[in-house]
Amino acid sequence: MLRIHFDSEDLARTTVAPSADVLWEILLSLHALQERNEDVALDGWRRRTRPLIPASLRPLLEIAPPRGYSADFLTPTRGTADLGEGVDRILATTPNELTRDFTELARQGGTPFIARSLDGREAVRRVAHDVDRFFKVALAPYWRQISRDIEAERTQLVRILADHGVERLLGTLHPYARWEHPVLHVDHYVDQDVTLGGRGLVLVPSFFCRHHPITLRDPELPPLLVFPIGRRTWLRRPQTGEQGGTRPLEGLLGRTRTTVLKTAMTGCSTTDIARAAGISAASVSHHTKVLREAGLITTRRDGYSVCHEITDLGLSLLTSTGAPIRRRRTLPAEVSRQAI
């Protein structure tokens, strides 16, 4: 059982997160993606998403296992819907925080691959990069629906808080949560005590949280409680445009550049694009230059290799037409070397 201890100051400072927390949804969707035969409402999303996850993201899955401890540094935010801000917060992880989390993961199931293969700063950069890629593949096509369901829950919570006060809110939060002044008890959880000590508590409603409310392992971190929203709609396949597929986008960009943009969905090399679009490497360079100058893709160079990746703007343009997202067959050279 989790026991969260309040005093009068904590009750006064308890709040509801201002929006969906993108990093918590990423972490909890990583858990959900790895589970079997759990939460049938996510079955369709799992079937569509699993084939899209490249092998290079396996180290991220390893530090976010579906059972037991997941690295606390993956979720440094308290209701931040902006992915860029969340990634920046991950990049600010200190060496001590990284060592703490990797030590706990090693105690649970062995030293993570990323901790064995990269030094501290490189490990943080790799994780931040992989978090960004995972969001674009697994959550971005559904983010509007996820945010809408969380906002509906948040509106209800704020109304209870305004009309009846914080103790009523805590007492009706979740079937596994029980308020007995001055302690909030959460059943079916590891045995843990959290003393707020005047810091208050941030309540974070979550789409992908399953089973019961959860919190961070480290009691020194700002306290929060993440809990499943009461009513969640099934994640529907992204809708296609009126003409179907990517035709509306092809009318804007042309068929070749649309293919280039789709291929860059999970990161790709120039060779990948040439193969997918059936064009020469020289033509690829021309099309990627146009897309890059429009802010739709980015290009990173590593020696003689390059990796083209879609930006948030490009992803919004692509998913707004309902374009089908397919996993590319090969990984760019610099990513393949790091894959396990």
Side-chain angles (χ1 to χ4, degrees):
M1 179 184 294
L2 169 66
R3 294 168 296 274
I4 303 178
H5 301 265
F6 290 73
D7 59 27
S8 58
E9 193 171 0
D10 295 315
L11 290 171
R13 291 182 175 177
T14 292
T15 61
V16 180
S19 67
D21 190 304
V22 64
L23 293 185
W24 273 101
E25 296 306 320
I26 289 171
L27 173 65
L28 296 171
S29 63
L30 284 166
H31 292 172
L33 194 68
Q34 297 175 78
E35 288 185 327
R36 305 287 179 183
N37 301 319
E38 296 230 13
D39 203 338
V40 295
L42 296 176
D43 280 352
W45 171 79
R46 285 194 191 93
R47 287 194 302 271
R48 293 189 293 270
T49 302
R50 281 173 178 158
L52 307 178
I53 304 301
S56 60
L57 290 184
R58 289 178 188 169
L60 179 61
L61 298 175
E62 188 183 9
I63 63 174
R67 291 289 185 272
Y69 179 73
S70 292
D72 278 346
F73 79 88
L74 290 172
T75 51
T77 52
R78 307 290 181 273
T80 297
D82 184 272
L83 179 62
E85 180 182 341
V87 168
D88 286 345
R89 294 284 297 276
I90 291 176
L91 288 169
T93 301
T94 66
N96 286 342
E97 291 169 337
L98 195 68
T99 299
R100 174 204 64 202
D101 286 358
F102 283 167
T103 299
E104 182 64 26
L105 286 164
R107 188 189 65 79
Q108 175 176 280
T111 303
F113 169 81
I114 200 166
R116 299 194 308 268
S117 59
L118 299 173
D119 65 30
R121 293 315 308 163
E122 282 300 315
V124 169
R125 282 193 287 269
R126 172 66 186 270
V127 169
H129 174 262
D130 288 354
V131 162
D132 181 79
R133 292 183 67 198
F134 178 82
F135 175 84
K136 290 174 179 176
V137 173
L139 297 188
Y142 310 93
W143 189 245
R144 183 177 300 176
Q145 179 186 344
I146 292 168
S147 299
R148 185 174 60 244
D149 285 4
I150 291 174
E151 181 58 30
E153 177 81 4
R154 182 183 181 277
T155 298
Q156 182 178 355
L157 296 174
V158 170
R159 185 178 298 119
I160 294 172
L161 182 61
D163 292 347
H164 304 287
V166 66
E167 295 197 59
R168 171 73 70 86
L169 176 61
L170 295 172
T172 58
L173 199 61
H174 188 270
Y176 289 164
R178 184 176 74 261
W179 172 249
E180 295 178 357
H181 183 89
V183 180
L184 180 66
H185 305 262
V186 178
D187 297 328
H188 304 283
Y189 197 74
V190 295
D191 194 50
Q192 182 179 351
D193 282 277
V194 176
T195 301
L196 300 179
R199 295 175 294 172
L201 183 69
V202 178
L203 302 171
V204 184
S206 168
F207 187 95
F208 280 96
C209 187
R210 296 105 52 238
H211 314 312
H212 52 70
I214 60 176
T215 190
L216 296 166
R217 177 72 61 88
D218 189 346
E220 299 303 316
L221 293 173
L224 59 78
L225 189 69
V226 182
F227 59 95
I229 60 177
R231 279 190 264 175
R232 179 179 60 189
T233 57
W234 288 47
L235 284 177
R236 298 178 296 276
R237 185 186 300 275
Q239 296 297 306
T240 59
E242 291 183 0
Q243 300 180 50
T246 57
R247 290 180 185 176
L249 190 58
E250 290 174 5
L252 176 66
L253 298 179
R255 180 173 299 178
T256 299
R257 284 180 193 157
T258 299
T259 301
V260 173
L261 191 62
K262 288 169 57 182
T263 308
M265 186 72 187
T266 57
C268 60
S269 66
T270 297
T271 302
D272 293 331
I273 293 176
R275 185 183 299 116
I279 57 178
S280 68
S283 294
V284 170
S285 296
H286 169 69
H287 289 298
T288 54
K289 181 174 185 272
V290 171
L291 293 174
R292 192 165 51 249
E293 290 177 347
L296 301 180
I297 67 170
T298 61
T299 300
R300 295 184 294 105
R301 181 170 295 278
D302 181 15
Y304 292 104
S305 300
V306 296
C307 179
H308 307 284
E309 292 183 288
I310 198 167
T311 64
D312 289 343
L313 177 62
L315 186 71
S316 297
L317 183 63
L318 191 63
T319 56
S320 67
T321 66
I325 302 167
R326 303 185 186 278
R327 179 183 174 183
R328 52 186 171 74
R329 296 182 180 178
T330 58
L331 294 169
E334 68 275 24
V335 173
S336 297
R337 288 197 298 268
Q338 296 176 357
I340 59 171

